[in-house]
Amino acid sequence: MRSSRISRLVVANIRRSRNHFMLASIGIVVGIATFSFFIALAQGVRAVVLGKIFPLDQLEVVPKSLDVAVGPLALGTSTFGGDVIDDAKVTQLAAIPGVAIVYPKMRLTVPSIVWGGEALLGANLRSELVADGINPALVQADVGSGLEFRDFDDPSDPANSAPERCRTDADCGEHRWCGPPAATRRTRRNDGDDTGVIPRGTPMVCRHYVPILVSENIVELYNGGLRRAHALPKLVPDSVLGLTFNLVIGASMVEASNKGYLIEEKAMLVGFSRKAISLGLTMPVGYIQRFNVDFGSPDDAQRYHSAIVMVPEKDDVAAVAKGVADLGLEVADTGAEQAALLIAIFTLIFALVSGVIVGIAAVNIMHVFFMLVYERQHEIGIMRAVGASRGDILRIILGEAALLGAMAGVVGVAIAFGSSLVFDWISANYVPDFPYKPETYFVFPWWLVASALGFAVGFCILGALLPARRAARMEPAAVLSGH
Amino acid sequence: MLCRMGGSLVWSAPPMIRVRGMRKSYRTGKLSTEVLRGIDLEIETGEFVSIIGPSGSGKSTLLHAVGGLDNDYGGSIEVDGKDLRTLSDRQLSAYRNGNVGFVFQSFYLLPHLTLIENVSLPAVFDRGDQALADGPLLDRAHEVLRLVDLEDRAQSKPTMLSGGQRQRVAIARALFNRPKLLLGDEPTGNLDSKLGAQVIELFRKLNHDSGITVLIVTHDPRVSQITDRTLRVEDGRLFEGASPASGATAPEGEADGTSSPAEIAAKPVELEEAGA
């Protein structure tokens, strides 16, 4: 009851001195708005950078000898010997404490080309193919509705023993095409030929498209850069599901890398996955195994080139990295740590700048409270005369400061939030698309709002502490008699 | 309390206020000025006493010390059996809240609060178990405003009142917690003679009707004329009576700074005789 009455007195005092307090709190409002705005911005950027570009909760583990052996243009550094990732290593990786699951991946080591997209883009795109394979069971959640991600050409599948004959794609129905059986080798007409000739007498059968998963990075890069350079339409991830294109295995845009024969496949985009290769295509590992064996050796079917290790707790990452090193493997440098460090530094700088603003505001608060205490010394005296203790006076002054801080904090956070909406709107309407352009650059977690309010209240109380102590120590007799 | 009077023991109630050898100095830089130089005083429960004296003589200082606003002095002050110097700030605050009502020359009303809120200000700081709930608090606030004939202005702000009305509100505030002691520090100093007379009459009525002990510091000779007893502070000492010429005597024990309980208890009797 006593506390609530003192609180009412505090509210009445705030109301009475609202003009003073409004002026005094401007600094706190600006400081808290700055703090909230930049920390929310840092959180938003962090969510994009570390959530999408450099996911921190997954590590890509590679054999140490694969440092420069990336993609079909591998220079042939050793992928042999004891430092490959085989099934045994995958099991050992999965056993490292902190690891939730391991996704072994096999890289396509045959030079290949991907082309197509005319139906969607109005023109065919053509590129060297970078691809890897993954166990379909591990990525089913990422497959689009009505689509499948599995090895349709698995030779051990009885369904493939008697393929259905056809003459045109229309004979095969939805999601299938009519072409030569899987792994049919085409002969090159000349060195530059990348379509080849199907051997005479090869039957035409109904084939499933090779299902493809891609990282959302691909769409981001396309929308953010490629499409502008080539005046192509913008793509929305869901709208490109079902897109078909062609794969030519054994062909390369680097003529010297061409193989003596080609295998042509048709592929279909069936989903987006964070486990997909960042820049390239990911297909069921069976396809990659067969392509690598077809153009290489049978041993290639047993050799994984990397593994995605999921580490749900960020705190476990260091321990898992050590466990990976103990297995003779290493974590591929994705830039995540550097990005995280950079964001942390910027966050710290913004927090410090905000802290300085709020600190200066606290000094202003102190001046205002000193002035108010002086103006109200008779009131303080009379409150002491009717029974207020020194502690009561301290509580009243600090209560006013806390309430002022809370109100300034709420206004500051509201301004930060409003500014973030304006910033996002300007970005959405006036800033050209770029890779990973987010819908919002800001994240306002509960702890940010709580700490912003806490800082506002804390700094106001800090600012009012000396004036409140002076008020509490005021001798009521001296104040009331004018001594 | 048993006291010796004229060779026989008599029963006497303990005084409301007992001041013994009170000294008070103010320091300004290196200069120390002793304002009160050994004050001895007893005031009985229900007395109506005025203190007069020249400006700066220390009468307000004495009043503030008795009211627990100041406990930086020499000697001792007991009020209703409590030695004020031994009380902590919290206890002293509770003492002021529960036992003392102050009325000052400058009213000291809080301008942003209504009259109801002003008069109930003591309830904000009431630590007692008997602290009023909101309902009874309002009733009491109306009751004391009615007492000073301002109930109809309960929701007004002090700025809308005349000086006399403001002082009546200050008196209502002083009465809110039903104090045993009502202290007035020049309560008529800011009022014209008519309003001053009304305020003094209010004090007299409160003292007469409720038996509340009243101690008023004043320059106003009309006040001292209607009080039971007048004390005079001069040169840091306390004397009985309105002026040296009135025949009043300095408190007994002044010479050695002490008074025996029997002597102190006898003073009201002497005063009646002297003032008759």
Side-chain angles (χ1 to χ4, degrees), chain B residues 7-54:
Chain B
S8 60
L9 286 172
V10 296
W11 182 256
S12 170
M16 170 60 79
I17 299 169
R18 173 181 287 159
V19 181
R20 289 279 186 87
M22 187 205 165
R23 294 178 174 274
K24 173 74 182 179
S25 302
Y26 289 108
R27 183 173 285 277
T28 312
K30 288 182 179 176
L31 189 66
S32 179
T33 309
E34 192 169 38
V35 179
L36 297 176
R37 292 184 281 175
I39 300 291
D40 296 302
L41 166 69
E42 283 194 3
I43 295 174
E44 300 299 327
T45 302
E47 267 198 289
F48 187 9
V49 178
S50 60
I51 302 179
I52 60 170

Side-chain angles (χ1 to χ4, degrees), chain A residues 14 21 24-25 28-29 32 358 365 369 397-413 451-462 464:
Chain A
I14 287 266
F21 285 137
S25 63
I28 295 287
V29 169
I32 293 303
V358 176
I365 293 278
F369 270 95
I397 306 281
L398 294 185
E400 289 175 29
L403 188 56
L404 175 68
M407 290 190 294
V410 168
V411 173
V413 171
S451 52
L453 295 179
F455 284 142
V457 171
F459 273 89
C460 277
I461 287 178
L462 199 65

Side-chain angles (χ1 to χ4, degrees), chain B residues 103 115 119 140-154 161 164-176 182 198-199 202-203 205-206:
Chain B
V103 181
L115 299 196
V119 298
R140 175 64 183 160
H142 278 283
E143 186 183 336
V144 290
L145 279 175
R146 197 179 309 128
L147 206 62
V148 297
D149 204 21
L150 282 170
E151 192 184 9
D152 56 331
R153 307 295 297 272
L161 303 182
Q165 287 172 321
R166 289 183 202 187
Q167 194 59 298
R168 276 148 58 196
V169 176
I171 293 170
R173 179 181 63 196
L175 297 174
F176 184 87
L182 187 59
Q198 287 175 4
V199 165
L202 188 56
F203 274 101
K205 187 168 180 292
L206 288 167

Side-chain angles (χ1 to χ4, degrees), chain A residues 237-300:
Chain A
D238 285 347
S239 72
V240 294
L241 290 180
L243 174 71
T244 61
F245 43 87
N246 301 284
L247 309 176
V248 186
I249 316 299
S252 173
M253 297 170 87
V254 180
E255 216 168 271
S257 297
N258 279 334
K259 298 293 183 184
Y261 58 91
L262 310 170
I263 294 174
E264 187 159 338
E265 292 288 350
K266 289 194 175 186
M268 176 185 283
L269 182 61
V270 299
F272 295 90
S273 174
R274 287 177 61 196
K275 287 116 196 168
I277 189 169
S278 297
L279 291 173
L281 307 181
T282 294
M283 58 187 78
V285 70
Y287 291 100
I288 298 291
Q289 282 173 325
R290 286 193 296 278
F291 294 147
N292 286 351
V293 169
D294 204 316
F295 288 87
S297 73
D299 291 343
D300 291 340

Side-chain angles (χ1 to χ4, degrees), chain B residues 69-82:
Chain B
L69 284 177
D70 182 7
N71 67 349
D72 179 23
Y73 50 80
S76 70
I77 298 176
E78 281 179 32
V79 178
D80 201 22
K82 287 192 188 83

Side-chain angles (χ1 to χ4, degrees), chain A residues 345-370:
Chain A
I345 289 171
F346 275 107
T347 306
L348 192 63
I349 289 171
F350 288 135
L352 281 175
V353 169
S354 314
V356 169
I357 295 173
V358 176
I360 292 170
V363 174
N364 189 32
I365 293 278
M366 185 164 65
H367 283 143
V368 169
F369 270 95
F370 267 128

Side-chain angles (χ1 to χ4, degrees), chain A residues 1-2 5-6 8-9 12-13 16 378-379 382-390 392 396 475-477 479-481 483, chain B residues 26 61 64 69-70 89 93 96-97 102 104 108 110-113 121-127 131-134 137 173:
Chain A
M1 190 159 58
R2 192 166 173 275
R5 284 175 186 163
I6 287 181
R8 270 182 273 176
L9 198 59
N13 285 344
R16 187 229 331 219
H378 291 134
E379 288 177 23
I382 199 65
M383 283 194 277
R384 297 275 279 137
V386 299
S389 64
R390 289 196 172 106
D392 290 330
I396 288 170
E475 287 301 333
V479 167
L480 294 171
S481 62
H483 283 140
Chain B
Y26 289 108
T61 301
H64 293 160
L69 284 177
D70 182 7
D89 175 68
S93 301
R96 289 193 301 268
N97 183 258
F102 284 99
F104 295 93
Y108 296 136
L110 275 56
H112 59 297
L113 303 183
L121 192 62
V124 172
F125 304 106
D126 194 345
R127 286 187 171 77
L132 293 174
D134 284 352
L137 180 146
R173 179 181 63 196

